[in-house]
Protein backbone atom coordinates (compact mmCIF):
# COMPACT_ATOMS: atom_id res chain seq x y z
CA UNK A 1 0.00 0.00 0.00
CA UNK A 2 1.08 3.57 -0.75
CA UNK A 3 0.75 6.64 1.47
CA UNK A 4 0.32 9.86 -0.53
CA UNK A 5 -1.02 10.56 -4.01
CA UNK A 6 1.59 13.07 -5.27
CA UNK A 7 3.68 12.19 -8.34
CA UNK A 8 5.78 9.68 -6.36
CA UNK A 9 2.81 7.79 -4.90
CA UNK A 10 0.79 7.77 -8.13
CA UNK A 11 3.77 6.54 -10.16
CA UNK A 12 4.73 3.78 -7.76
CA UNK A 13 1.18 2.49 -7.29
CA UNK A 14 0.52 2.44 -11.05
CA UNK A 15 3.75 0.59 -11.90
CA UNK A 16 3.00 -2.08 -9.27
CA UNK A 17 -0.69 -2.40 -10.21
CA UNK A 18 0.30 -2.85 -13.87
CA UNK A 19 2.08 -6.07 -12.80
CA UNK A 20 -1.26 -7.40 -11.55
CA UNK A 21 -0.83 -6.74 -7.80
CA UNK A 22 -3.51 -5.17 -5.59
CA UNK A 23 -2.49 -1.68 -4.48
CA UNK A 24 -4.26 0.63 -2.03
CA UNK A 25 -3.32 4.33 -2.11
CA UNK A 26 -4.36 6.60 0.76
CA UNK A 27 -4.27 10.36 0.14
CA UNK A 28 -5.02 12.90 2.87
CA UNK A 29 -6.42 15.62 0.58
CA UNK A 30 -9.14 15.66 -2.02
CA UNK A 31 -7.67 16.42 -5.48
CA UNK A 32 -7.21 18.85 -7.10
CA UNK A 33 -5.06 20.44 -4.39
CA UNK A 34 -2.34 23.08 -4.66
CA UNK A 35 1.29 21.95 -4.69
CA UNK A 36 4.49 23.73 -5.63
CA UNK A 37 7.00 22.18 -8.06
CA UNK A 38 5.64 23.22 -11.43
CA UNK A 39 8.65 23.00 -13.72
CA UNK A 40 9.23 19.44 -14.99
CA UNK A 41 12.18 17.76 -16.72
CA UNK A 42 12.17 15.80 -20.01
CA UNK A 43 13.03 12.61 -18.09
CA UNK A 44 9.67 12.80 -16.30
CA UNK A 45 7.61 13.82 -19.31
CA UNK A 46 9.10 11.44 -21.90
CA UNK A 47 10.33 8.70 -19.57
CA UNK A 48 8.09 8.12 -16.56
CA UNK A 49 4.89 9.58 -18.00
CA UNK A 50 5.26 7.39 -21.08
CA UNK A 51 5.59 4.31 -18.84
CA UNK A 52 2.45 5.42 -17.00
CA UNK A 53 0.53 5.83 -20.26
CA UNK A 54 -0.39 9.51 -19.87
CA UNK A 55 1.61 10.95 -22.78
CA UNK A 56 -1.42 11.87 -24.89
CA UNK A 57 -3.36 13.23 -21.95
CA UNK A 58 -0.49 15.52 -21.02
CA UNK A 59 -0.09 16.63 -24.62
CA UNK A 60 -3.79 17.52 -24.74
CA UNK A 61 -3.83 19.37 -21.42
CA UNK A 62 -2.51 22.66 -22.75
CA UNK A 63 0.60 22.69 -20.55
CA UNK A 64 3.29 25.15 -21.58
CA UNK A 65 6.23 23.51 -23.38
CA UNK A 66 9.60 24.14 -21.75
CA UNK A 67 12.50 23.80 -24.18
CA UNK A 68 15.15 24.85 -21.67
CA UNK A 69 15.98 27.46 -19.07
CA UNK A 70 17.25 31.01 -18.90
CA UNK A 71 19.60 32.12 -16.13
CA UNK A 72 20.77 35.51 -14.91
CA UNK A 73 23.43 33.82 -12.87
CA UNK A 74 27.16 33.98 -12.21
CA UNK A 75 29.67 36.44 -13.65
CA UNK A 76 27.78 36.99 -16.88
CA UNK A 77 25.65 40.13 -16.42
CA UNK A 78 23.45 39.11 -19.36
CA UNK A 79 20.86 36.30 -19.18
CA UNK A 80 22.04 33.06 -20.85
CA UNK A 81 19.91 30.18 -22.07
CA UNK A 82 20.37 26.44 -22.30
CA UNK A 83 18.43 24.13 -24.58
CA UNK A 84 17.57 20.50 -23.74
CA UNK A 85 18.01 19.55 -27.40
CA UNK A 86 21.80 20.03 -27.28
CA UNK A 87 21.90 16.80 -25.28
CA UNK A 88 21.67 13.90 -27.70
CA UNK A 89 19.65 12.06 -25.08
CA UNK A 90 16.89 14.62 -25.40
CA UNK A 91 17.36 15.68 -29.00
CA UNK A 92 14.52 15.37 -31.50
CA UNK A 93 11.00 14.65 -30.24
CA UNK A 94 11.99 14.48 -26.57
CA UNK A 95 13.71 17.86 -26.34
CA UNK A 96 11.18 19.53 -24.08
CA UNK A 97 9.34 19.21 -20.78
CA UNK A 98 6.21 20.93 -19.47
CA UNK A 99 5.48 23.68 -16.99
CA UNK A 100 2.46 22.34 -15.12
CA UNK A 101 -0.19 23.52 -12.74
CA UNK A 102 0.34 20.81 -10.17
CA UNK A 103 -3.36 20.81 -9.33
CA UNK A 104 -3.96 19.48 -12.87
CA UNK A 105 -0.82 17.35 -13.31
CA UNK A 106 -1.11 15.51 -10.00
CA UNK A 107 -4.80 14.79 -10.63
CA UNK A 108 -4.00 13.34 -14.07
CA UNK A 109 -1.48 10.95 -12.48
CA UNK A 110 -3.80 10.02 -9.60
CA UNK A 111 -6.81 9.41 -11.89
CA UNK A 112 -4.54 7.38 -14.13
CA UNK A 113 -3.50 5.22 -11.15
CA UNK A 114 -7.19 4.62 -10.44
CA UNK A 115 -7.88 3.71 -14.06
CA UNK A 116 -4.97 1.22 -13.97
CA UNK A 117 -6.55 -0.63 -11.05
CA UNK A 118 -5.18 1.13 -7.95
CA UNK A 119 -7.72 1.47 -5.12
CA UNK A 120 -7.32 5.23 -4.52
CA UNK A 121 -8.97 6.68 -1.42
CA UNK A 122 -8.82 10.44 -0.97
CA UNK A 123 -9.52 12.30 2.31
CA UNK A 124 -7.82 9.37 4.04
CA UNK A 125 -5.01 10.42 6.35
CA UNK A 126 -2.45 7.91 7.54
CA UNK A 127 -1.66 8.45 11.22
CA UNK A 128 0.71 5.59 11.98
CA UNK A 129 2.13 2.26 10.87
CA UNK A 130 1.52 -1.28 12.14
CA UNK A 131 4.51 -3.39 13.10
CA UNK A 132 4.84 -7.10 13.80
CA UNK A 133 8.05 -8.87 14.76
CA UNK A 134 10.21 -6.05 13.47
CA UNK A 135 8.40 -5.78 10.14
CA UNK A 136 6.06 -2.99 9.05
CA UNK A 137 2.85 -4.71 8.01
CA UNK A 138 0.24 -2.00 7.48
CA UNK A 139 -1.04 1.42 8.49
CA UNK A 140 -3.58 3.11 10.70
CA UNK A 141 -5.62 5.84 8.99
CA UNK A 142 -8.66 8.08 9.34
CA UNK A 143 -11.05 7.50 6.45
CA UNK A 144 -13.17 10.10 4.62
CA UNK A 145 -15.89 9.81 7.33
CA UNK A 146 -13.34 10.30 10.10
CA UNK A 147 -13.44 6.65 11.18
CA UNK A 148 -10.09 5.27 12.35
CA UNK A 149 -9.15 2.10 10.50
CA UNK A 150 -6.29 -0.34 10.13
CA UNK A 151 -5.18 -2.00 6.93
CA UNK A 152 -2.51 -4.64 6.46
CA UNK A 153 -0.17 -4.92 3.47
CA UNK A 154 2.98 -6.75 2.40
CA UNK A 155 4.66 -3.41 1.73
CA UNK A 156 4.04 0.11 2.93
CA UNK A 157 5.52 2.84 0.71
CA UNK A 158 5.67 6.26 2.31
CA UNK A 159 5.27 8.80 -0.52
CA UNK A 160 3.68 11.44 1.69
CA UNK A 161 6.19 14.17 0.93
CA UNK A 162 8.36 16.41 3.06
CA UNK A 163 5.79 16.58 5.88
CA UNK A 164 5.52 12.81 6.18
CA UNK A 165 4.20 11.72 9.58
CA UNK A 166 5.57 8.20 9.35
CA UNK A 167 9.05 8.48 7.80
CA UNK A 168 10.69 8.25 11.24
CA UNK A 169 9.50 4.67 11.53
CA UNK A 170 12.15 3.74 8.97
CA UNK A 171 14.80 4.41 11.63
CA UNK A 172 17.74 6.80 11.44
CA UNK A 173 17.61 10.56 11.31
CA UNK A 174 16.65 13.05 8.60
CA UNK A 175 19.95 14.88 7.95
CA UNK A 176 19.56 18.52 6.96
CA UNK A 177 22.06 20.15 4.62
CA UNK A 178 24.38 22.84 5.98
CA UNK A 179 24.57 24.34 2.51
CA UNK A 180 21.00 24.55 1.23
CA UNK A 181 18.84 26.25 3.81
CA UNK A 182 16.46 28.55 1.99
CA UNK A 183 12.91 29.77 2.38
CA UNK A 184 10.68 30.39 -0.64
CA UNK A 185 8.01 33.09 -0.85
CA UNK A 186 5.83 32.79 -3.93
CA UNK A 187 2.67 33.93 -5.70
CA UNK A 188 1.00 33.98 -9.11
CA UNK A 189 0.70 36.78 -11.69
CA UNK A 190 -1.24 37.43 -14.87
CA UNK A 191 0.13 39.47 -17.76
CA UNK A 192 3.84 38.73 -17.20
CA UNK A 193 6.18 39.11 -20.15
CA UNK A 194 6.92 36.13 -22.41
CA UNK A 195 10.17 35.43 -24.22
CA UNK A 196 9.95 34.98 -28.01
CA UNK A 197 9.55 31.42 -29.37
CA UNK A 198 11.04 28.87 -28.92
CA UNK A 199 11.85 30.10 -25.39
CA UNK A 200 8.32 31.25 -24.46
CA UNK A 201 7.86 28.47 -21.90
CA UNK A 202 11.39 28.49 -20.43
CA UNK A 203 11.87 28.76 -16.71
CA UNK A 204 13.92 31.85 -15.80
CA UNK A 205 16.10 31.83 -12.68
CA UNK A 206 17.63 35.16 -11.70
CA UNK A 207 19.99 35.69 -8.79
CA UNK A 208 19.80 38.85 -6.68
CA UNK A 209 21.39 40.04 -3.44
CA UNK A 210 19.21 37.95 -1.09
CA UNK A 211 18.93 34.76 -3.15
CA UNK A 212 17.23 34.05 -6.46
CA UNK A 213 13.86 34.18 -8.24
CA UNK A 214 12.01 31.62 -10.33
CA UNK A 215 9.73 32.78 -13.11
CA UNK A 216 7.65 29.94 -14.55
CA UNK A 217 5.16 30.60 -17.38
CA UNK A 218 2.25 28.24 -16.67
CA UNK A 219 0.11 29.44 -19.58
CA UNK A 220 0.01 32.45 -21.91
CA UNK A 221 -1.47 34.43 -19.01
CA UNK A 222 -0.46 32.81 -15.71
CA UNK A 223 3.07 32.93 -14.22
CA UNK A 224 4.38 31.39 -11.02
CA UNK A 225 6.93 33.69 -9.36
CA UNK A 226 8.95 32.81 -6.26
CA UNK A 227 11.78 34.35 -4.29
CA UNK A 228 14.14 31.84 -2.70
CA UNK A 229 15.84 33.56 0.22
CA UNK A 230 19.06 32.58 1.94
CA UNK A 231 18.79 31.88 5.64
CA UNK A 232 20.52 35.20 6.47
CA UNK A 233 17.75 37.06 4.65
CA UNK A 234 14.87 35.47 6.54
CA UNK A 235 14.28 38.61 8.62
CA UNK A 236 12.82 40.13 5.46
CA UNK A 237 9.79 37.89 5.86
CA UNK A 238 8.90 39.76 9.05
CA UNK A 239 8.93 43.15 7.29
CA UNK A 240 5.19 43.24 6.62
CA UNK A 241 2.37 41.35 4.94
CA UNK A 242 3.62 38.64 2.57
CA UNK A 243 2.29 40.29 -0.59
CA UNK A 244 4.15 43.52 0.22
CA UNK A 245 7.34 41.64 1.04
CA UNK A 246 7.14 39.77 -2.29
CA UNK A 247 6.53 43.06 -4.13
CA UNK A 248 9.58 44.63 -2.43
CA UNK A 249 11.79 41.66 -3.32
CA UNK A 250 10.68 41.78 -6.97
CA UNK A 251 11.73 45.44 -7.10
CA UNK A 252 15.22 44.36 -6.00
CA UNK A 253 15.64 41.96 -8.93
CA UNK A 254 15.69 44.05 -12.15
CA UNK A 255 15.10 41.19 -14.60
CA UNK A 256 12.01 39.88 -12.79
CA UNK A 257 10.73 43.42 -12.13
CA UNK A 258 11.00 44.05 -15.86
CA UNK A 259 9.19 40.79 -16.79
CA UNK A 260 6.38 41.74 -14.36
CA UNK A 261 6.21 45.46 -15.16
CA UNK A 262 2.74 45.12 -16.68
CA UNK A 263 1.56 42.15 -14.63
CA UNK A 264 -0.93 41.89 -11.77
CA UNK A 265 -0.79 39.48 -8.88
CA UNK A 266 -3.65 36.98 -8.72
CA UNK A 267 -5.57 37.64 -5.49
CA UNK A 268 -8.44 35.13 -5.66
CA UNK A 269 -8.90 31.39 -5.90
CA UNK A 270 -6.24 28.74 -5.30
CA UNK A 271 -3.53 31.03 -6.71
CA UNK A 272 -4.64 34.07 -4.73
CA UNK A 273 -2.35 33.67 -1.69
CA UNK A 274 1.31 34.48 -1.31
CA UNK A 275 2.68 31.29 0.22
CA UNK A 276 5.83 30.47 2.15
CA UNK A 277 7.66 27.13 1.95
CA UNK A 278 10.75 26.17 3.85
CA UNK A 279 12.91 24.30 1.35
CA UNK A 280 15.79 23.11 3.49
CA UNK A 281 17.46 20.18 1.77
CA UNK A 282 17.61 16.87 3.65
CA UNK A 283 18.28 13.20 3.20
CA UNK A 284 17.11 10.32 5.35
CA UNK A 285 19.78 8.09 6.88
CA UNK A 286 17.89 4.96 5.77
CA UNK A 287 15.54 4.65 2.82
CA UNK A 288 13.93 1.34 3.76
CA UNK A 289 13.42 -1.33 6.39
CA UNK A 290 11.66 -4.68 6.15
CA UNK A 291 8.13 -4.01 4.91
CA UNK A 292 8.56 -0.27 4.34
CA UNK A 293 10.22 2.10 1.86
CA UNK A 294 10.47 5.90 1.55
CA UNK A 295 9.80 7.35 -1.91
CA UNK A 296 10.24 10.89 -3.28
CA UNK A 297 10.36 13.78 -0.81
CA UNK A 298 9.67 11.40 2.08
CA UNK A 299 13.26 10.14 1.56
CA UNK A 300 15.10 13.27 0.48
CA UNK A 301 14.74 16.74 -0.97
CA UNK A 302 17.28 18.89 -2.78
CA UNK A 303 17.17 22.64 -3.39
CA UNK A 304 14.63 23.54 -6.14
CA UNK A 305 17.00 25.54 -8.42
CA UNK A 306 17.14 22.79 -11.06
CA UNK A 307 13.50 21.73 -10.78
CA UNK A 308 14.59 18.20 -9.88
CA UNK A 309 11.91 17.37 -7.25
CA UNK A 310 9.31 15.65 -9.44
CA UNK A 311 12.07 13.91 -11.41
CA UNK A 312 13.63 12.49 -8.23
CA UNK A 313 10.25 11.55 -6.85
CA UNK A 314 9.02 9.73 -9.96
CA UNK A 315 12.40 8.14 -10.72
CA UNK A 316 12.58 6.82 -7.16
CA UNK A 317 9.04 5.50 -7.64
CA UNK A 318 10.19 3.53 -10.69
CA UNK A 319 13.14 2.11 -8.72
CA UNK A 320 10.90 1.22 -5.76
CA UNK A 321 8.35 -0.40 -8.09
CA UNK A 322 11.10 -2.65 -9.48
CA UNK A 323 12.09 -3.63 -5.94
CA UNK A 324 8.51 -4.37 -4.83
CA UNK A 325 7.59 -6.23 -8.03
CA UNK A 326 10.70 -8.39 -7.80
CA UNK A 327 10.20 -9.21 -4.12
CA UNK A 328 6.50 -10.02 -4.60
CA UNK A 329 7.40 -12.31 -7.47
CA UNK A 330 9.67 -14.14 -5.04
CA UNK A 331 12.58 -13.89 -7.44
CA UNK A 332 15.16 -12.08 -5.29
CA UNK A 333 15.40 -11.39 -1.60
CA UNK A 334 13.88 -8.09 -0.36
CA UNK A 335 17.18 -6.88 1.11
CA UNK A 336 18.98 -7.10 -2.26
CA UNK A 337 16.13 -5.38 -4.07
CA UNK A 338 15.96 -2.45 -1.67
CA UNK A 339 19.72 -2.04 -1.45
CA UNK A 340 19.58 -1.56 -5.21
CA UNK A 341 16.77 0.96 -4.77
CA UNK A 342 18.64 2.96 -2.16
CA UNK A 343 21.98 2.97 -4.03
CA UNK A 344 20.46 4.23 -7.25
CA UNK A 345 18.24 6.84 -5.65
CA UNK A 346 21.14 8.20 -3.58
CA UNK A 347 23.34 8.34 -6.68
CA UNK A 348 20.80 10.46 -8.57
CA UNK A 349 20.33 12.72 -5.54
CA UNK A 350 24.11 13.15 -5.25
CA UNK A 351 24.42 14.20 -8.88
CA UNK A 352 22.10 17.15 -8.28
CA UNK A 353 23.56 17.88 -4.84
CA UNK A 354 27.18 17.97 -6.03
CA UNK A 355 26.39 20.07 -9.04
CA UNK A 356 24.25 22.52 -7.04
CA UNK A 357 27.08 23.12 -4.58
CA UNK A 358 29.24 24.33 -7.49
CA UNK A 359 26.44 26.24 -9.17
CA UNK A 360 25.77 28.36 -6.08
CA UNK A 361 29.27 29.82 -6.48
CA UNK A 362 28.36 33.00 -8.37
CA UNK A 363 31.99 33.87 -9.13
CA UNK A 364 31.96 31.70 -12.26
CA UNK A 365 30.52 31.99 -15.73
CA UNK A 366 28.26 29.54 -17.53
CA UNK A 367 31.19 27.81 -19.27
CA UNK A 368 32.66 26.91 -15.87
CA UNK A 369 29.24 25.56 -14.79
CA UNK A 370 29.04 23.47 -17.96
CA UNK A 371 32.51 22.03 -17.30
CA UNK A 372 31.48 21.18 -13.76
CA UNK A 373 28.39 19.33 -15.03
CA UNK A 374 30.65 17.31 -17.32
CA UNK A 375 32.91 16.31 -14.45
CA UNK A 376 30.02 15.50 -12.06
CA UNK A 377 28.44 13.04 -14.50
CA UNK A 378 31.79 11.81 -15.85
CA UNK A 379 30.84 12.43 -19.45
CA UNK A 380 33.10 12.79 -22.45
CA UNK A 381 30.38 14.71 -24.30
CA UNK A 382 30.91 18.45 -24.80
CA UNK A 383 30.44 20.49 -21.62
CA UNK A 384 27.23 22.31 -22.68
CA UNK A 385 25.72 18.96 -23.67
CA UNK A 386 26.63 17.45 -20.30
CA UNK A 387 24.91 20.35 -18.55
CA UNK A 388 21.68 19.83 -20.55
CA UNK A 389 21.89 16.09 -19.87
CA UNK A 390 22.28 16.59 -16.12
CA UNK A 391 19.58 19.24 -15.68
CA UNK A 392 17.24 17.32 -18.02
CA UNK A 393 17.32 14.34 -15.65
CA UNK A 394 19.39 12.12 -17.96
CA UNK A 395 22.53 11.58 -15.85
CA UNK A 396 21.58 8.09 -14.68
CA UNK A 397 21.70 6.85 -18.30
CA UNK A 398 18.45 4.97 -17.70
CA UNK A 399 16.85 4.24 -21.02
CA UNK A 400 13.47 4.35 -19.26
CA UNK A 401 13.99 8.06 -18.57
CA UNK A 402 14.88 8.98 -22.11
CA UNK A 403 11.76 7.66 -23.73
CA UNK A 404 12.47 7.79 -27.41
CA UNK A 405 15.83 6.86 -28.81
CA UNK A 406 17.31 10.00 -30.32
CA UNK A 407 19.44 9.89 -33.45
CA UNK A 408 23.03 9.64 -32.33
CA UNK A 409 26.19 10.50 -34.22
CA UNK A 410 28.97 7.97 -34.83
CA UNK A 411 31.26 9.74 -32.35
CA UNK A 412 28.58 9.76 -29.72
CA UNK A 413 27.90 6.11 -30.38
CA UNK A 414 31.55 5.33 -29.70
CA UNK A 415 31.42 7.41 -26.54
CA UNK A 416 28.29 5.65 -25.24
CA UNK A 417 29.82 2.27 -25.96
CA UNK A 418 32.94 3.29 -24.10
CA UNK A 419 30.98 4.56 -21.15
CA UNK A 420 28.82 1.46 -21.13
CA UNK A 421 31.93 -0.60 -20.50
CA UNK A 422 32.54 1.16 -17.24
CA UNK A 423 30.67 -0.28 -14.34
CA UNK A 424 29.53 3.20 -13.24
CA UNK A 425 27.50 3.56 -16.41
CA UNK A 426 25.47 0.40 -16.15
CA UNK A 427 22.35 2.16 -17.44
CA UNK A 428 24.04 3.13 -20.69
CA UNK A 429 24.37 -0.50 -21.71
CA UNK A 430 20.62 -0.68 -21.83
CA UNK A 431 20.53 2.61 -23.64
CA UNK A 432 23.10 1.53 -26.19
CA UNK A 433 21.18 -1.68 -26.73
CA UNK A 434 17.98 0.27 -27.30
CA UNK A 435 19.68 2.72 -29.62
CA UNK A 436 21.61 0.33 -31.79
CA UNK A 437 19.76 -2.96 -31.34
CA UNK A 438 23.09 -4.35 -30.23
CA UNK A 439 23.64 -6.36 -27.10
CA UNK A 440 26.58 -5.11 -25.10
CA UNK A 441 25.83 -7.31 -22.10
CA UNK A 442 24.85 -5.92 -18.74
CA UNK A 443 26.77 -5.03 -15.61
CA UNK A 444 25.65 -4.02 -12.15
CA UNK A 445 26.30 -0.60 -10.67
CA UNK A 446 28.46 -2.09 -7.89
CA UNK A 447 29.87 -5.48 -7.05
CA UNK A 448 27.05 -7.79 -6.05
CA UNK A 449 24.45 -5.37 -7.39
CA UNK A 450 21.45 -6.13 -9.59
CA UNK A 451 20.53 -5.10 -13.11
CA UNK A 452 17.15 -4.18 -14.50
CA UNK A 453 15.15 -6.88 -16.21
CA UNK A 454 14.36 -6.61 -19.94
CA UNK A 455 10.79 -5.44 -19.14
CA UNK A 456 12.27 -2.63 -17.00
CA UNK A 457 9.86 -3.35 -14.13
CA UNK A 458 11.96 -5.81 -12.06
CA UNK A 459 15.53 -6.43 -10.94
CA UNK A 460 17.58 -9.40 -12.06
CA UNK A 461 20.92 -11.00 -11.21
CA UNK A 462 23.37 -9.97 -13.94
CA UNK A 463 24.25 -13.52 -14.92
CA UNK A 464 20.63 -14.69 -15.23
CA UNK A 465 18.34 -11.86 -16.41
CA UNK A 466 14.67 -12.40 -15.59
CA UNK A 467 12.14 -12.33 -18.38
P1 LIG B 1 4.24 15.47 -2.69
O1 LIG B 1 4.07 16.12 -4.00
O2 LIG B 1 4.44 16.35 -1.50
O3 LIG B 1 2.97 14.55 -2.44
C1 LIG B 1 2.74 13.96 -1.17
C2 LIG B 1 1.25 13.67 -1.03
O4 LIG B 1 1.05 12.97 0.20
C3 LIG B 1 0.40 14.93 -0.95
O5 LIG B 1 -0.65 14.87 -1.88
C4 LIG B 1 -0.12 14.93 0.50
O6 LIG B 1 -1.41 15.48 0.62
C5 LIG B 1 -0.11 13.45 0.83
N1 LIG B 1 0.00 13.19 2.28
C6 LIG B 1 0.78 13.85 3.18
N2 LIG B 1 0.65 13.30 4.40
C7 LIG B 1 -0.24 12.28 4.27
C8 LIG B 1 -0.79 11.35 5.19
N3 LIG B 1 -0.43 11.34 6.48
N4 LIG B 1 -1.68 10.44 4.73
C9 LIG B 1 -2.02 10.42 3.41
N5 LIG B 1 -1.54 11.28 2.51
C10 LIG B 1 -0.65 12.21 2.92
N6 LIG B 1 10.02 20.20 -8.12
C11 LIG B 1 10.07 20.21 -9.47
O7 LIG B 1 10.11 19.15 -10.09
N7 LIG B 1 10.06 21.40 -10.15
C12 LIG B 1 10.03 22.60 -9.52
O8 LIG B 1 10.00 23.66 -10.17
C13 LIG B 1 10.03 22.60 -8.08
N8 LIG B 1 9.96 23.77 -7.38
C14 LIG B 1 9.91 23.73 -6.01
C15 LIG B 1 9.90 24.93 -5.29
C16 LIG B 1 9.87 24.90 -3.89
C17 LIG B 1 9.88 26.18 -3.11
C18 LIG B 1 9.83 23.66 -3.22
C19 LIG B 1 9.80 23.61 -1.72
C20 LIG B 1 9.83 22.48 -3.93
C21 LIG B 1 9.89 22.49 -5.32
N9 LIG B 1 9.91 21.30 -6.06
C22 LIG B 1 10.00 21.35 -7.42
C23 LIG B 1 9.89 20.00 -5.39
C24 LIG B 1 8.52 19.32 -5.48
O9 LIG B 1 7.54 20.14 -4.87
C25 LIG B 1 8.56 17.98 -4.76
O10 LIG B 1 9.83 17.39 -4.89
C26 LIG B 1 7.51 16.98 -5.29
O11 LIG B 1 6.21 17.49 -5.14
C27 LIG B 1 7.65 15.66 -4.52
O12 LIG B 1 6.63 14.75 -4.90
P2 LIG B 1 6.15 13.63 -3.86
O13 LIG B 1 5.13 12.82 -4.59
O14 LIG B 1 7.31 12.97 -3.27
O15 LIG B 1 5.46 14.46 -2.67
Amino acid sequence: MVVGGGPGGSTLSTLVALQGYRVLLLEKEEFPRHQIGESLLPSTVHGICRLLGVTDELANSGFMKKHGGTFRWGLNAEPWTFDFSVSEKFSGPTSYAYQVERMKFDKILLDNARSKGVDVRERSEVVGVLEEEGRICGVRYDDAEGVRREVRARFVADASGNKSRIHKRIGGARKYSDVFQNIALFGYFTGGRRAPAPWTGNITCASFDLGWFWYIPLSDELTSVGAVLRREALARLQDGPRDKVLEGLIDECPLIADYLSEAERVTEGPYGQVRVRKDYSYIQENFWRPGMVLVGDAACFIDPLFSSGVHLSTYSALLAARSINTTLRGAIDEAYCFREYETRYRREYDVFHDFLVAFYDLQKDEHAYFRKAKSVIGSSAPAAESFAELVGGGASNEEALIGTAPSVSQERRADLLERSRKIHWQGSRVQVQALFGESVGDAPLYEGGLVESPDGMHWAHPEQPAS
Side-chain angles (χ1 to χ4, degrees):
M1 67 138 316
V2 176
V3 185
S10 296
T11 300
L12 171 60
S13 59
T14 303
L15 297 180
V16 174
L18 283 173
Q19 296 300 312
Y21 300 112
R22 282 175 55 212
V23 187
L24 172 68
L25 184 152
L26 300 173
E27 163 57 51
K28 172 173 83 161
E29 307 281 342
E30 183 164 7
F31 280 27
R33 56 94 178 89
H34 180 271
Q35 174 60 299
I36 195 63
E38 295 144 331
S39 195
L40 303 186
L41 304 187
S43 56
T44 304
V45 170
H46 303 289
I48 300 291
C49 290
R50 181 185 50 90
L51 292 176
L52 296 175
V54 292
T55 301
D56 291 344
E57 205 174 345
L58 292 183
N60 295 330
S61 294
F63 294 133
M64 199 76 162
K65 274 190 179 173
K66 166 190 174 186
H67 289 281
T70 300
F71 285 91
R72 216 328 274 131
W73 199 274
L75 290 175
N76 191 344
E78 294 302 315
W80 49 273
T81 293
F82 80 89
D83 177 352
F84 290 124
S85 72
V86 303
S87 160
E88 278 180 310
K89 285 188 183 163
F90 299 120
S91 63
T94 58
S95 65
Y96 65 90
Y98 293 118
Q99 313 285 19
V100 296
E101 292 182 59
R102 287 286 299 273
M103 283 191 289
K104 294 181 185 167
F105 178 74
D106 288 14
K107 185 160 165 49
I108 289 173
L109 296 196
L110 192 64
D111 288 347
N112 179 60
R114 208 178 252 124
S115 77
K116 300 278 162 48
V118 178
D119 179 358
V120 175
R121 300 189 199 162
E122 295 172 66
R123 294 193 293 132
S124 299
E125 180 170 6
V126 170
V127 294
V129 296
L130 309 176
E131 185 177 340
E132 234 170 54
E133 294 171 5
R135 185 177 178 87
I136 301 299
C137 59
V139 301
R140 203 169 298 114
Y141 72 102
D142 292 337
D143 73 10
E145 277 71 48
V147 178
R148 179 135 314 173
R149 296 187 181 278
E150 288 187 356
V151 60
R152 296 175 69 85
R154 288 170 74 184
F155 283 105
V156 173
D158 178 14
S160 63
N162 67 329
K163 294 206 185 79
S164 163
R165 291 178 66 155
I166 55 172
H167 72 277
K168 287 188 182 146
R169 293 301 299 273
I170 218 86
R174 193 177 256 198
K175 292 189 193 158
Y176 281 89
S177 161
D178 297 331
V179 188
F180 304 115
Q181 299 190 344
N182 299 320
I183 296 257
L185 178 72
F186 56 95
Y188 294 83
F189 292 78
T190 55
R193 191 165 292 171
R194 292 287 176 265
W199 309 126
T200 314
N202 275 17
I203 183 172
T204 297
C205 296
S207 67
F208 74 119
D209 284 350
L210 304 180
W212 59 275
F213 267 94
W214 78 71
Y215 185 94
I216 300 176
L218 292 173
S219 68
D220 289 343
E221 268 300 299
L222 187 67
T223 311
S224 165
V225 179
V228 178
L229 303 177
R230 283 193 301 276
R231 197 167 46 163
E232 309 85 80
L234 296 189
R236 279 297 289 273
L237 292 178
Q238 318 301 327
D239 274 3
R242 284 178 184 176
D243 54 340
K244 297 291 169 215
V245 174
L246 183 59
E247 244 172 58
L249 293 168
I250 289 168
D251 287 342
E252 291 172 37
C253 186
L255 185 70
I256 301 299
D258 179 45
Y259 280 11
L260 292 175
S261 56
E262 287 168 25
E264 280 186 27
R265 194 175 68 75
V266 178
T267 53
E268 286 178 353
Y271 294 131
Q273 302 168 38
V274 172
R275 294 177 162 92
V276 171
R277 268 286 296 269
K278 184 166 114 170
D279 70 14
Y280 288 18
S281 300
Y282 57 79
I283 185 158
Q284 195 73 23
E285 231 171 324
N286 305 317
F287 282 15
W288 76 280
R289 63 174 281 189
M292 182 171 174
V293 60
L294 303 179
V295 169
D297 277 10
C300 52
F301 173 77
I302 187 75
D303 185 272
L305 182 57
F306 285 119
S307 310
S308 52
V310 173
H311 160 70
L312 287 169
S313 166
T314 53
Y315 178 45
S316 72
L318 167 65
L319 299 173
R322 284 183 190 152
S323 300
I324 291 172
N325 291 337
T326 310
T327 312
L328 288 177
R329 189 193 247 183
I332 299 176
D333 190 62
E334 176 185 61
Y336 282 107
C337 292
F338 285 99
R339 182 177 65 169
E340 196 64 40
Y341 166 74
E342 181 161 343
T343 307
R344 288 177 189 246
Y345 190 14
R346 280 187 192 281
R347 183 184 62 154
E348 189 68 2
Y349 179 90
D350 287 346
V351 163
F352 281 94
H353 178 275
D354 295 354
F355 185 57
L356 276 159
V357 169
F359 200 79
Y360 265 93
D361 175 358
L362 295 173
Q363 298 309 311
K364 296 205 168 80
D365 66 9
E366 61 270 33
H367 303 291
Y369 299 136
F370 295 167
R371 286 194 298 275
K372 182 66 187 177
K374 183 176 157 79
S375 78
V376 167
I377 65 173
S379 168
S380 56
E385 185 179 328
S386 304
F387 177 84
E389 183 175 320
L390 191 161
V391 301
S396 65
N397 272 343
E398 279 263 7
E399 198 262 337
L401 297 185
I402 298 165
T404 315
S407 57
V408 175
S409 65
Q410 284 303 311
E411 299 88 287
R412 191 79 176 106
R413 179 179 193 272
D415 173 40
L416 285 171
L417 282 165
E418 174 57 30
R419 283 158 68 180
S420 75
R421 284 188 200 105
K422 296 180 189 158
I423 217 164
H424 177 66
W425 292 104
Q426 179 272 332
S428 72
R429 289 166 184 270
V430 180
Q431 185 194 4
V432 167
Q433 201 163 324
L435 289 172
F436 309 122
E438 213 176 272
S439 176
V440 291
D442 211 349
L445 202 61
Y446 53 93
E447 206 178 334
L450 302 171
V451 296
E452 69 185 86
S453 61
D455 72 358
M457 288 297 136
H458 299 83
W459 298 122
H461 287 297
E463 66 279 12
Q464 41 177 233
S467 58

